[in-house]
């Protein structure tokens, strides 16, 4: 299930590719079989398609293999290349030894890091262990801070970075004991083979960048440019996670947000346009996006702003003949569900008229029935709202209202009706909404 932060990462990479004539490539990182969720890859593809982010290469589209689990032979070949160069070594340490080492280092106040226990095994010792079938991993032989400049680099978002030190240069595992690669090896190899020039990803990978740059150096390859995007936050200051209600993109889809509004909103989470413009179509974003507009500040996810954007995009979509037909059919089904009516009995013409009259006040199409229930059935005179209207509007105003209606039944509701309701409400000293409710009941 794609997280809102994942959608933002995909969107920014997509916009960068479209802005400068590059290619947007979708890779599926599925090498951690223990955490693999059935259907997750299909869900990612479907969500990107829903958002309009069409990739140039990816699953089912392109000349390559895009599931990393299908590229294991490629990663093992490159791991062997590092072993042959002395830039990596085999580690036969057991899980229990590594856990004990981590516990000891933590107790001493040191950052956990591998102690290179296996880094100096002789060829004979390694061959004996391999013949005995001992499980092992392959670790990178990280350069020291003094011998490498990998920890000092320029990040497009965070500018000049300097991570030279133990935290950035531990001997990371490249191949796990099951022969599958870790993120570090797989992504470096894929970035090179797929000719990736820019990597835009979450800032949780910022500390790992020195390792990746060191791997590029070990292979003799040119590293891409990096841009690490700041975290998304909840209004209370906590990190937005997949377990939050506002985390999964599917939640927004289920709630009824339009793809145009969610894409517009997501683009503004960490990117500032050069103008005060807030309302963007995807095409406008493609033309406006620039790396210079990326922000280092964390962005707070707010439904209030998203709701406003959805109202604007809904209004625009209803005015677009190419989009309004689909929204009418969607609203028709939602009205039927909310009212208990059969879909066939809800006339598309009535829905279209209702959307035209109430569209400016709707956040979602699913709100239509509650906004104008009187357009889809007889008025319910026993509701609390009706009873309040009858009680609060003095009796002497009932006849004037009906008389006015009698003379104007041929005309549509317009500003004159609103003005009339306001004048009656002022004279009766009651809220205008009660008079408007009586008008609605009478008209229907």
């Amino acid at each position: 299930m794609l997280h809102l932060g994942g959608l933002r990462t995909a969107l920014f990479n997509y916009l960068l590719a479209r802005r400068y004539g590059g290619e947007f490539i979708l890779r599926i990182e599925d090498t951690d079989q223990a955490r693999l969720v059935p259907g997750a890859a299909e869900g990612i593809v479907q969500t990107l398609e829903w958002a309009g982010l069409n990739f140039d290469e990816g699953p089912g589209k392109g000349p390559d293999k895009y599931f990393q689990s299908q590229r294991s032979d490629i990663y093992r070949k490159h791991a062997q290349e590092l072993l042959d160069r002395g830039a990596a070594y085999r580690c036969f340490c057991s899980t229990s030894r590594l856990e004990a080492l981590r516990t000891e280092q933590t107790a001493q106040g040191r950052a956990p890091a591998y102690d290179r226990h296996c880094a100096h095994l002789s060829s004979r010792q390694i061959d004996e262990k391999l013949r005995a079938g001992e499980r092992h991993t392959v670790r990178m032989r990280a350069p020291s801070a003094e011998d490498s400049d990998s920890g000092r680099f320029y990040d497009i978002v965070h500018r000049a970075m300097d991570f030279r030190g133990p935290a950035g240069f531990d001997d990371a595992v490249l191949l796990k004991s099951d022969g599958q690669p870790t993120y570090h090896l797989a992504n470096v190899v894929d970035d090179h083979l797929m000719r990736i020039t820019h990597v835009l990803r979450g800032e949780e990978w910022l500390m790992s960048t020195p390792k990746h740059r060191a791997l590029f150096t070990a292979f003799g390859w040119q590293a891409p440019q990096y841009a690490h995007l700041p975290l998304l936050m909840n209004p209370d200051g906590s990190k937005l996670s997949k377990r939050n209600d506002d985390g999964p993109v599917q939640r927004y889809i289920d709630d009824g947000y339009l793809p145009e509004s969610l894409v517009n909103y997501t683009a503004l989470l960490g990117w500032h346009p050069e103008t005060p413009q807030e309302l963007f179509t995807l095409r406008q974003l493609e033309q406006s996006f620039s790396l210079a507009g990326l922000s280092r500040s964390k962005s707070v996810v707010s439904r209030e702003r998203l709701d406003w954007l959805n109202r604007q995009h809904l209004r625009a979509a209803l005015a677009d003949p190419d989009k309004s037909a689909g929204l009418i059919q969607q609203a028709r089904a939602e009205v039927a569900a909310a009212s208990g009516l059969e879909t066939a009995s809800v006339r598309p013409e009535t829905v279209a008229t209702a959307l035209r009259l109430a569209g400016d006040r709707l956040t979602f199409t699913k709100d239509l029935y509650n906004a104008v229930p009187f357009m889809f059935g007889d008025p319910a005179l026993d509701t609390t709202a009706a009873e309040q209207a009858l009680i609060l509007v003095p009796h002497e105003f009932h006849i004037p209202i009906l008389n006015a209606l009698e003379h104007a039944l041929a005309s549509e509701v317009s500003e004159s009706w609103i003005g009339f309701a306001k004048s009656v409400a002022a004279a009766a000293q009651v809220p205008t909404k009660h008079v408007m409710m009586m008008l609605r009941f009478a008209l229907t």
Side-chain angles (χ1 to χ4, degrees):
M1 183 178 293
L2 191 63
H3 180 267
L4 186 62
L7 177 63
R8 182 185 64 168
T9 299
L11 174 61
F12 285 178
N13 279 280
Y14 167 88
L15 293 177
L16 179 66
R18 293 293 175 267
R19 180 74 169 81
Y20 298 105
E23 293 184 339
F24 175 50
I25 301 176
L26 175 64
R27 297 196 307 243
I28 303 298
E29 298 165 0
D30 61 343
T31 56
D32 191 343
Q33 298 297 306
R35 299 176 60 186
L36 198 61
V37 178
E42 292 80 4
I44 291 173
V45 172
Q46 291 171 3
T47 300
L48 293 180
E49 290 177 346
W50 173 84
L53 308 185
N54 300 315
F55 48 85
D56 300 297
E57 292 185 31
K61 188 177 183 180
D64 214 332
K65 296 178 180 178
Y66 300 95
F67 286 86
Q68 290 186 335
S69 59
Q70 300 172 349
R71 300 168 61 83
S72 297
D73 290 345
I74 296 174
Y75 306 132
R76 284 194 284 268
K77 170 180 174 293
H78 284 85
Q80 184 61 52
E81 183 178 333
L82 292 177
L83 288 169
D84 294 342
R85 294 185 179 192
Y89 60 92
R90 302 181 192 275
C91 175
F92 297 88
C93 290
S94 64
T95 301
S96 58
R97 182 185 183 277
L98 295 175
E99 289 177 351
L101 176 63
R102 187 178 300 108
T103 300
E104 178 184 354
Q105 291 173 333
T106 302
Q108 295 174 351
R110 293 188 291 155
Y114 184 59
D115 61 357
R116 291 194 165 181
H117 179 74
C118 294
H120 305 293
L121 293 176
S122 66
S123 298
R124 183 174 60 81
Q125 289 174 309
I126 293 173
D127 289 341
E128 288 176 354
K129 290 179 179 293
L130 292 176
R131 282 195 298 271
E134 291 191 30
R135 292 172 62 85
H136 65 281
T137 62
V138 174
R139 291 181 178 271
M140 69 178 293
R141 192 183 299 275
S144 65
E146 294 77 17
D147 298 332
S148 172
D149 206 32
S150 300
R152 185 166 56 189
F153 60 94
Y154 181 84
D155 183 87
I156 295 170
V157 175
H158 297 272
R159 309 296 187 260
M161 305 301 300
D162 193 342
F163 283 113
R164 290 175 296 175
F169 290 90
D170 61 314
D171 288 3
V173 173
L174 303 179
L175 277 185
K176 293 174 284 188
S177 57
D178 62 0
Q180 291 293 337
T182 60
Y183 176 91
H184 307 302
L185 177 64
N187 281 271
V188 166
V189 171
D190 287 346
D191 284 347
H192 172 72
L193 296 181
M194 296 182 182
R195 307 179 310 281
I196 302 300
T197 59
H198 292 76
V199 175
L200 279 64
R201 60 188 182 185
E203 69 177 8
E204 63 268 24
W205 293 106
L206 189 59
M207 289 290 291
S208 296
T209 304
K211 302 173 189 177
H212 302 162
R213 286 173 48 81
L215 281 173
F216 275 104
T217 300
F219 280 118
W221 300 337
Q222 177 68 40
Q225 296 185 55
Y226 290 98
H228 289 87
L229 309 174
L231 298 175
L232 298 182
M233 311 298 290
N234 292 306
D236 63 4
S238 61
K239 176 184 175 182
L240 184 72
S241 71
K242 295 179 181 178
R243 291 175 291 277
N244 291 119
D245 288 344
D246 288 337
V249 174
Q250 189 60 46
R251 180 64 61 85
Y252 295 92
I253 298 175
D254 294 341
D255 286 347
Y257 289 99
L258 298 175
E260 296 87 349
S261 62
L262 187 61
V263 166
N264 188 164
Y265 175 70
T266 304
L268 299 176
L269 294 174
W271 172 71
H272 299 297
E274 296 179 356
T275 67
Q277 180 179 351
E278 285 191 87
L279 202 63
F280 289 89
T281 64
L282 181 58
R283 178 58 179 160
Q284 289 172 328
L285 287 171
E286 293 173 7
Q287 296 171 336
S288 304
F289 183 79
S290 69
L291 294 174
L294 295 177
S295 171
R296 280 178 283 181
S297 301
K298 294 177 174 58
S299 298
V300 175
V301 175
S302 167
R303 287 273 185 143
E304 182 178 350
R305 189 184 193 192
L306 177 56
D307 287 348
W308 179 83
L309 286 170
N310 206 65
R311 286 192 289 272
Q312 311 312 309
H313 281 285
L314 177 58
R315 185 181 305 173
L318 291 173
D320 184 343
D322 293 334
K323 297 179 180 179
S324 60
L327 290 173
I328 289 171
Q329 292 305 317
Q330 177 179 315
R332 186 186 181 201
E334 291 166 341
V335 166
S339 64
L341 298 171
E342 293 292 332
T343 303
S345 66
V346 181
R347 298 174 59 218
E349 299 83 359
T350 304
V351 175
T353 301
L355 286 170
R356 178 173 58 82
L357 294 174
D360 288 353
R361 294 181 283 121
L362 299 179
T363 300
F364 308 103
T365 55
K366 66 181 180 181
D367 297 335
L368 181 62
Y369 178 74
N370 288 332
V372 286
F374 48 84
M375 295 192 68
F376 303 100
D378 295 331
L381 299 178
D382 59 348
T383 63
T384 301
E387 292 174 356
Q388 286 180 343
L390 292 173
I391 293 173
L392 293 177
V393 178
H395 183 269
E396 60 265 26
F397 288 108
H398 294 179
I399 299 303
I401 291 175
L402 293 175
N403 287 336
L405 290 172
E406 184 179 4
H407 294 293
L409 286 176
S411 64
E412 291 188 8
V413 175
S414 64
E415 287 299 325
S416 62
W417 282 112
I418 296 176
F420 173 77
K422 288 181 177 179
S423 64
V424 172
Q429 296 184 338
V430 297
T432 303
K433 65 179 181 180
H434 295 309
V435 179
M436 289 297 297
M437 186 64 68
M438 290 190 66
L439 289 174
R440 289 168 182 163
F441 286 144
L443 286 167
T444 55

